[in-house]
Amino acid sequence: MSRRSKTRAGSVLAASFVAMMVLAPGTAAASRLDALPFAETPASGVGHESWRLLQATNESRERYDLPPLRLNVELSAIARQHSMVMARAGSLFHTPDVGIYLRAIVWRTWGENVGYTPGDVGSVQAAFMASPIHREHILDGAFRHVAIGAVRVDGTLWVTVFFYG
């Protein structure tokens, strides 16, 4: 499987990666995330686990003195749909072209992370940070915005993360 990043100019950078399936539930970081308040969740329509993944991603960025990513709620609904399709298929795959979803948005570059885990948000974030390609997206200073779609189906958390800037 490949991870793709794309710039507005149209050049495509591809790198191979091993799809992350996390078998170990929860980490110490996850218990700290469980204690965080997410008052925005009910009003926005973005699920609780998506907000927790945003927080985990921004905590990772903060450790490297990077600005936090801003969540695009509307695009998160599309990311959530993609996560649901992956869950129904029982396999990971990337969207054909995230750029299609960014047509009405000013952007220069984008990237995508997908993953699943029987664990929690902390375990999927730990897996992303342990993978050089996924970590590169999380820590890319060119990205300023993110859309996160997380769904839990039959106990497994499926996530799609669109980064853009």
Side-chain angles (χ1 to χ4, degrees):
M1 208 166 205
S2 67
R3 177 278 290 168
R4 295 182 304 170
S5 291
K6 192 169 186 175
T7 63
R8 180 64 110 179
S11 63
V12 177
L13 304 173
S16 64
F17 78 96
V18 176
M20 300 307 293
M21 178 176 71
V22 182
L23 298 177
T27 63
S31 60
R32 187 173 47 124
L33 289 174
D34 289 338
L36 293 173
F38 291 95
E40 305 98 328
T41 302
S44 69
V46 175
H48 183 73
E49 289 174 309
S50 294
W51 281 109
R52 289 177 42 204
L53 187 54
L54 172 65
Q55 182 67 34
T57 299
N58 281 335
E59 286 176 1
S60 295
R61 289 174 63 86
E62 184 178 6
R63 284 193 289 278
Y64 291 88
D65 295 322
L66 292 167
L69 297 171
R70 296 188 59 190
L71 184 69
N72 180 321
V73 174
E74 292 81 17
L75 192 56
S76 290
I78 294 169
R80 186 177 190 285
Q81 289 173 354
H82 181 75
S83 293
M84 185 59 74
V85 170
M86 290 190 305
R88 287 183 183 141
S91 66
L92 288 177
F93 50 88
H94 289 276
T95 56
D97 184 359
V98 176
I100 291 170
Y101 303 129
L102 298 175
R103 279 185 279 196
I105 298 171
V106 176
W107 63 279
R108 296 173 82 141
T109 185
W110 66 262
E112 178 183 32
N113 285 355
V114 298
Y116 70 97
T117 180
D120 56 18
V121 168
S123 63
V124 79
Q125 181 67 13
F128 282 160
M129 290 301 288
S131 164
I133 299 304
H134 294 91
R135 178 186 175 100
E136 179 183 319
H137 279 150
I138 292 167
L139 301 180
D140 189 329
F143 295 141
R144 299 292 185 200
H145 302 275
V146 67
I148 301 173
V151 297
R152 189 167 293 276
V153 176
D154 296 330
T156 299
L157 178 65
W158 296 83
V159 299
T160 301
V161 185
F162 301 146
F163 300 89
Y164 66 97

